[in-house]
Amino acid sequence: MQVKPLIVIPVYNHGATLRDVAVRAMQYGEVLIVDDGSTDGALAEISDLGLTVVSHDENFGKGQAILTAAEKARELGKTHIITIDADGQHFPEEIPDFIAAIKENPEAIFVGSRNFEGQNVPGSSKFGRSFSNFWLRVQTGIKLSDVQSGFRAYPLEIFSVIKTSETRYAFEVEILVKSAWAGYDLKDIPIEVHYPAPDERVSHFDAIKDNVRISLLNTRLTMRSFVPVPHRQYDKDEEGKITPIHPLRSLRILLSKDETPLKLAIAGALGMLLGTLPLIAMHSIAIILFCGFFRLSKITGLAVSQLCIPPLVPALCIEAGHYLRYNQFLTEISLQTLGYEALDRFYEWVLGSLVLGPSFALIIGIAIYIMAFTIKRFLDMKPQ
């Protein structure tokens, strides 16, 4: 595949820094400026550079600027866009690193991982990065170093198949999560970053509105990730066109790509361990969160946890906990022991689950591993 990247600089009232960023970026390829309704005369600063410019009549948001850039890039016959912020935070001299990366893996999204060891790094940026990184891992199982970085490389094909709803800063989170669900790889590229002194910094991130948008988006994405139904995957057909894969085939591809006997065994063991603990009315949520975070099969974890539905496993845990406390088993089942002494029984449930949970998890994990390994070996031996 011949890689034809377009360098994109979204602009909104960055007249003081735009020219410097644009001139430096021009050394590494064709540059597109997307003016998102600037009112400070930013375009006048680059009018003599002969760059391609697309303008919005009003400020629609950074996400819409990127979508506009993708549409223009397709018109220009490009295959990728490399986005870099206009505020001077990023170093255009690192664009060749992105070009080299997409040549090696043209179907991945590359995100610049900012080095926060320098001066004037805002505490809000550090917190925001950690916050978004955590939720991306819960929602997709993918560990990325800097979800909020704007220095990125996208293959244009994803904008044809990924449907997004956000148009402002939250777009950059949404596109990563939904691209990962669709089967695209997310990769880090280490980059440097420059933060000017607070009184010189120009930022259009609204601490209230944009954080609310991102929080609501994360709520929706997390709720969708809780549903143990495969996301639609995309692949190329015989003619190289990107097409959706049938849901059943998607499931088979997911299993062949991501699931191994060991990972299935770990998912089952985790489901058993959490199911044994007295997480009343919280078992399913805990299993989905942990399986999502560690990129394990939620279906396996939830299925195994059904073995822990009362009364058998809780009763065994209570008996074990009672024995640990009094060196004898609980033999009297009455209103007194289960009603008036309910707090004692709950304490014994906790105590017993800490002992039996790991044992049950180990047994289930071994059993699932043996079964999955046997089935996989049988499938591998079948003629294709």
Side-chain angles (χ1 to χ4, degrees):
M1 174 182 179
Q2 185 178 2
V3 171
K4 300 177 182 178
L6 178 67
I7 302 166
V8 174
I9 307 177
V11 180
Y12 177 60
N13 291 344
H14 289 104
T17 54
L18 175 59
R19 183 179 181 86
D20 178 62
V21 175
V23 169
R24 291 158 65 192
M26 290 171 62
Q27 303 177 54
Y28 307 105
E30 187 174 351
V31 175
L32 169 68
I33 306 295
V34 181
D35 176 37
D36 190 31
S38 295
T39 57
D40 68 342
L43 295 185
E45 302 295 328
I46 58 166
S47 59
D48 62 322
L49 298 182
L51 299 176
T52 304
V53 177
V54 178
S55 297
H56 293 164
D57 293 333
E58 57 184 283
N59 178 242
F60 292 115
K62 187 178 183 182
Q64 185 57 56
I66 293 173
L67 292 174
T68 297
E71 184 178 351
K72 186 64 177 179
R74 280 192 290 268
E75 293 178 10
L76 296 173
K78 303 299 182 179
T79 60
H80 294 74
I81 59 172
I82 299 174
T83 62
I84 182 169
D85 291 347
D87 59 3
Q89 177 188 134
H90 303 138
F91 293 85
E93 291 74 20
E94 293 179 311
I95 290 175
D97 294 338
F98 285 85
I99 296 175
I102 60 180
K103 286 181 178 178
E104 184 175 340
N105 190 348
E107 294 184 356
I109 298 176
F110 291 92
V111 182
S113 177
R114 293 169 291 179
N115 178 5
F116 275 177
E117 299 300 321
Q119 296 180 338
N120 301 320
V121 179
S124 58
S125 295
K126 294 180 179 180
F127 171 79
R129 178 166 78 171
S130 299
F131 179 84
S132 294
N133 290 352
F134 171 80
W135 284 112
L136 177 82
R137 187 162 184 184
V138 169
Q139 294 153 2
T140 68
I142 294 175
K143 186 177 181 181
L144 203 63
S145 298
D146 197 351
V147 171
Q148 293 193 342
S149 173
F151 201 173
R152 304 180 175 191
Y154 299 97
L156 281 183
E157 65 187 43
I158 70 167
F159 298 102
S160 300
V161 298
I162 305 299
K163 305 303 179 185
T164 56
S165 59
E166 300 294 330
T167 59
R168 296 191 177 274
Y169 284 103
F171 169 86
E172 292 185 303
V173 174
E174 183 182 21
I175 193 69
L176 290 182
V177 173
K178 291 186 175 180
S179 295
W181 286 348
Y184 290 91
D185 290 333
L186 309 182
K187 302 288 186 180
D188 286 313
I189 290 185
I191 61 171
E192 296 300 321
V193 66
H194 166 69
Y195 282 102
D199 58 337
E200 301 174 4
R201 191 174 304 145
V202 177
S203 174
H204 301 294
F205 184 88
D206 191 303
I208 297 178
K209 291 182 180 179
D210 286 312
N211 275 318
V212 168
R213 290 189 185 102
I214 291 173
S215 296
L216 291 175
L217 171 66
N218 275 319
T219 300
R220 297 199 307 271
L221 295 175
T222 302
M223 290 176 65
R224 172 60 183 93
S225 71
F226 279 5
V227 180
V229 175
H231 300 280
R232 176 175 290 185
Q233 300 282 290
Y234 290 88
D235 202 355
K236 291 184 177 179
D237 60 18
E238 293 79 4
E239 299 178 357
K241 296 179 180 179
I242 302 298
T243 57
I245 301 172
H246 190 277
L248 292 179
R249 189 180 166 203
S250 294
L251 179 59
R252 187 170 70 250
I253 289 176
L254 282 171
L255 290 172
S256 66
K257 286 173 58 177
D258 300 325
E259 304 300 344
T260 64
L262 179 59
K263 289 182 69 174
L264 289 173
I266 294 174
L270 182 61
M272 191 68 193
L273 176 63
L274 294 175
T276 304
L277 298 175
L279 305 174
I280 299 174
M282 294 291 291
H283 287 106
S284 295
I285 293 176
I287 291 168
I288 290 171
L289 281 173
F290 276 94
C291 286
F293 189 81
F294 292 108
R295 209 174 188 184
L296 299 171
S297 170
K298 300 171 189 175
I299 297 175
T300 303
L302 289 170
V304 170
S305 71
Q306 301 307 301
L307 298 173
C308 303
I309 292 177
L312 181 58
V313 170
L316 291 174
C317 290
I318 290 172
E319 288 291 351
H322 192 275
Y323 186 85
L324 290 172
R325 291 184 71 186
Y326 303 110
N327 203 31
Q328 63 180 16
F329 292 107
L330 177 66
T331 56
E332 180 186 350
I333 307 299
S334 64
L335 178 62
Q336 176 66 32
T337 58
L338 298 183
Y340 301 128
E341 299 175 2
L343 290 178
D344 287 334
R345 300 294 84 80
F346 184 78
Y347 173 71
E348 290 162 1
W349 186 1
V350 173
L351 192 61
S353 68
L354 295 177
V355 175
L356 296 183
S359 302
F360 290 161
L362 181 62
I363 293 171
I364 289 294
I366 292 174
I368 291 176
Y369 180 83
I370 292 173
M371 289 187 292
F373 180 81
T374 303
I375 293 172
K376 186 176 186 302
R377 188 171 182 180
F378 173 76
L379 292 175
D380 290 343
M381 292 174 62
K382 289 181 64 176
Q384 300 299 318

